[in-house]
Amino acid sequence: MKYMTGKEIGTAFLKFFESKGHLIMPSFSLIPENDPTLLMIGAGMAPLKPFFTGKLKPPCTRVTTNQRCVRTGDIENVGRTARHHTAFMMLGNFSFGDYFKESAIPWAWEFLTEVCGLPREKLWVSIYPNDNEAEQIWLQQPGLVKEHIIRLEDNFWEIGPGPCGPDSEIYIDLGEERGCGKDTCAPGCDCDRFLEIWNLVFTQFDRTEEGEYKPLEHKNIDTGCGLERLASVLQNKPSNFETDLLFPIIEYVEKVSGKKFGKDAKNDISMKVIADHARSMAFMIMDRILPSNEGRGYVLRRILRRAIRHGRMLGIKDAFLENAIDVVAKIYADFPGFEELGNNLGFVKKVVRLEEDRFAATLAQGMEVLTREIENAKTAKKSELDGEICFKLYDTFGFPYELTEEILQENNLEPDKKGFESAMDAQRKRARAARAANERLDVPDLLKVDTEHLTRDENCTESKVFAIWKDGAIVDEIHDGDNAGIILECTPFYAEGGGQVGDEGLLIGELGKVMVSNAKKLPDGTIYHESYVEEGQIKVGDVVKIKIDMDKKLSSARNHTATHLLQAALKKVVGNQVNQAGSLVTPERLRFDFSNFEPVTPQQLADVEDLVNEEILKAIDVDIRQMKIADAKKLGAMALFGEKYGDIVRVVSVEDFSCELCGGSHVKNIGQIGRFKIVSEGGIAAGVRRIEAVTGRAALNDAKHQTEILNSVATMFKVRPEDLPNHVEKVLAEDKIMRKELAEAKRIKEMAEAQDLLVAATTIKGLTYLKGVLQNKNADELREMADFLIDSMEGSGVVVLANVNDDDDKTTLIVKADKGAVKAGVHAGKMVKELAKIIGGGGGGRPDMAQAGGKNPEAVPQVFEAAKDLLTSLIK
């Protein structure tokens, strides 16, 4: 067995497969490209997924890589086992419809036994139980005996429907001394004796939604060989952490902590955690992932702060992670795909130092709070820590939830996750409410700030941060999660005005990324940007790259130019009395308020819409010029009533159709509007109407939606869309006839029910008493029946009806008395009040009519008996 450094192993692997016709591709970024299903690259094949699925054509049908990966699913095991990592290197060779098992298996065996010199007698392989093809190929490999081939049910790779197939794993026997001592110990055992070093996946089936496995026309190969694991074998180390890929970082930690590796189990765990996490953070920041409280940035923050905490457990009081990055950079100095780490070492270290300093400021206080709360919980014999406390540690002291969870578990406690999530959700709602009320951007006093040199340039793509404020106060820097106002020395953003919302976009600095949700103007005309720091931090003086959301900007421009065309069309169709009374232009829609003392008729709306679309089809350039206001008036440019204009104005015109004074964003050619669609018209005040409309993609989506509805209804009726009007007319006519027939049938049924009740009438002191139970009637139907019975009975009397529903326990009572009964002393309200108690409810009403409700239908017979007694006592 040859001794090889990690770098030598990686190079040998790539060169070996290059000799087999493979293209060497450098390690891809940890940020997945065009794959929203992945947070980060966690497997060697992940960046190559488009080649496997056929979405992209590979540069070569044979590819080999040494891919950096990050996974945090079992972060709590890092440092506690010999193999768990958050970051690791995965060697792989891949075939996209080229070779299959007949080549993948012999090449893997050749590399391990001849290039690496692993002893054949110590190698084992596992296969899927019915993969006889793989077994036959393995048996042809020199030195591999049949007894070292085992069948495991787990050797099948699939993730739901789609490409899948059996796999074959290669293990090395590290010796009985590393094992569990059981007779059953073999590859697949949980002990450390048999170490899996390579997995060969044979993608040969396509699993259908029904669970059927169909052979793929083009079979693929996807293999993964853990570099750290192979290094531990070739360097004869008991764990991955003692290889040259990680141990130099542990040696650095020994130096700064004064502790010796291998002397104390707890200290060893902390050292291994720091070594692993230092490498992870270096890889992530190299790929431009910055600390934040969301997504990839949260993973980085969690790893960073976990490492800092383990540093404190080793007694390291000062910042130390920054220099650990130097060690990582030295280890990976000549690795293909890691050039960015050396080239941007200063940047990576700066991000680490800023985050370490930020957490160090609150770590000690947070640990005091957590230690005290743990003691209180133990004293109170609680098994979990209140979620509000966990949230306070997160929100006030910067403790990632998982860090709190880990510390609690070390003390045999659990966090109240539901309580934490509830507090987190409440904070999000408060933040949303604050943003909606614009509370975060209380503009500070900027009178002493010289803003005269600030400029606006639509072509500006980079600028320096001039000023920042947060919570109404000027500050020097802001961090992820902060809402703030930012002023740039030069900005291309259009500021909210004239009814149009401001531009949206991003400001990207070396150490942070800011989302701009709107741009506005201060009273002196200075443009500021309503901003939210998505990750990292931004300081005054930082140079930022500017990326305006051009899709939204163009959508706003479409809607703004369409607003001008709409006003011109309204004047032509509805009349010159139409004048603008307000407007709103957003990327999603336009809203136009105008003076008119009567609704716009449907025909007028259709004419306006047609006129605007006819103009759009002409594809005329929009003319935008600056001129003296007097000259603009000569051109007939419309001005907004009450608006103040300077001597020089901006005139936006569409030849022979529209001409207005306007400072907003517009398309270069009206053909860019695409389509114009009015979606509503209505009154909003006396003499003021409002039209809402959409353009471009939104108008197309509206048309698509309407067509889908039409087709859906046509399918329901089993007719062609063009036949729907006639068919619906026919259905409505039939429905009208059926409703009449149903009403008549219902009337006849109710009359029959009434006759049954009339037949069962009794007499109490000269008054007729009718009672009855009805099924599934509403209150109105119950009252109608009571009225019918009163009108139908001979002489004066009282009706007591109860309704019982089949699907619930609700019961309704109606007591109805005619004039003669009331004159005789009957009071329906008093009766129903007493009767309602029997069914567990309440009610009341007039002397002649009363109603009650309850929840005990079984007691209805008692109600009728009680009614007799009440009548006897009430009748004079």
Side-chain angles (χ1 to χ4, degrees), residues 554-731:
L554 179 57
S555 294
S556 290
R558 287 191 185 101
N559 286 335
H560 203 149
T561 306
T563 304
H564 286 210
L565 299 181
L566 171 61
Q567 179 168 212
L570 282 167
K571 284 183 172 289
K572 294 180 192 300
V573 174
V574 180
N576 277 320
Q577 77 277 8
V578 167
N579 283 302
Q580 182 174 343
S583 68
L584 174 66
V585 175
T586 72
E588 294 76 31
R589 64 191 175 97
L590 66 92
R591 190 181 75 201
F592 184 71
D593 301 339
F594 58 98
S595 56
N596 202 49
F597 288 94
E598 58 184 5
V600 183
T601 67
Q603 185 57 55
Q604 286 175 322
L605 281 176
D607 291 344
V608 166
E609 187 177 290
D610 288 344
L611 187 55
V612 172
N613 280 312
E614 284 296 326
E615 198 63 26
I616 290 169
L617 288 173
K618 293 178 183 178
I620 298 170
D621 286 343
V622 177
D623 183 54
I624 301 176
R625 285 184 284 170
Q626 303 274 353
M627 63 180 70
K628 291 181 179 179
I629 192 165
D631 295 332
K633 288 178 178 178
K634 288 177 184 177
L635 285 174
M638 283 189 286
L640 191 60
F641 180 77
E643 188 76 17
K644 293 181 180 179
Y645 298 97
D647 293 334
I648 303 297
V649 293
R650 186 171 182 258
V651 180
V652 178
S653 60
V654 176
E655 187 180 352
D656 298 330
F657 197 82
S658 168
C659 186
E660 294 189 35
L661 304 184
C662 182
S665 299
H666 291 275
V667 294
K668 293 180 180 179
N669 183 292
I670 57 173
Q672 290 178 279
I673 297 172
R675 184 175 186 266
F676 173 81
K677 174 66 180 173
I678 294 173
V679 294
S680 69
E681 189 277 339
I684 58 168
V688 181
R689 311 296 295 177
R690 171 173 289 173
I691 283 178
E692 293 195 359
V694 290
T695 67
R697 191 176 292 111
L700 293 174
N701 288 338
D702 178 79
K704 182 181 177 183
H705 180 60
Q706 296 299 330
T707 302
E708 287 172 348
I709 293 173
L710 186 67
N711 290 335
S712 175
V713 175
T715 301
M716 289 178 190
F717 284 117
K718 297 180 180 178
V719 297
R720 295 178 302 175
E722 57 266 32
D723 295 332
L724 264 177
N726 290 336
H727 189 77
V728 169
E729 191 175 344
K730 179 183 174 184
V731 169

Side-chain angles (χ1 to χ4, degrees), residues 458-490:
E458 288 188 358
N459 299 313
C460 176
T461 58
E462 190 172 279
S463 183
K464 189 178 285 187
V465 176
F466 174 71
I468 303 173
W469 68 84
K470 173 186 165 188
D471 299 327
I474 293 178
V475 295
D476 290 327
E477 63 183 63
I478 45 177
H479 298 87
D480 60 278
D482 286 343
N483 294 295
I486 295 177
I487 297 175
L488 301 174
E489 289 189 355
C490 178

Side-chain angles (χ1 to χ4, degrees), residues 758-795:
L758 287 166
V759 169
T762 57
T763 302
I764 300 175
K765 288 188 175 183
L767 293 179
T768 300
Y769 169 53
L770 284 178
K771 62 179 175 62
V773 179
L774 302 178
Q775 297 286 331
N776 304 313
K777 304 287 185 185
N778 59 41
D780 289 339
E781 291 171 330
L782 210 57
R783 281 193 291 270
E784 287 174 8
M785 177 64 80
D787 291 340
F788 179 80
L789 290 170
I790 285 289
D791 293 340
S792 301
M793 69 174 54
E794 295 181 4

Side-chain angles (χ1 to χ4, degrees), residues 769-774 777-790 798-804 811-817 827-829 831-833 835-836 839 842-854 860 863-864 867:
Y769 169 53
L770 284 178
K771 62 179 175 62
V773 179
L774 302 178
K777 304 287 185 185
N778 59 41
D780 289 339
E781 291 171 330
L782 210 57
R783 281 193 291 270
E784 287 174 8
M785 177 64 80
D787 291 340
F788 179 80
L789 290 170
I790 285 289
V798 177
V799 174
V800 179
L801 297 178
N803 178 70
V804 178
T811 302
T812 305
L813 295 180
I814 291 284
V815 177
K816 176 80 174 177
H827 192 293
M831 283 186 68
V832 88
K833 187 176 181 181
L835 296 175
I839 57 172
R846 306 186 307 271
D848 64 326
M849 179 70 167
Q851 180 177 325
V860 168
V863 168
F864 294 146

Side-chain angles (χ1 to χ4, degrees), residues 76-91:
E76 67 281 355
N77 289 325
V78 173
R80 301 180 184 278
T81 72
R83 315 294 173 203
H84 279 96
H85 300 291
T86 56
F88 55 92
M89 300 298 300
M90 187 60 70
L91 298 164

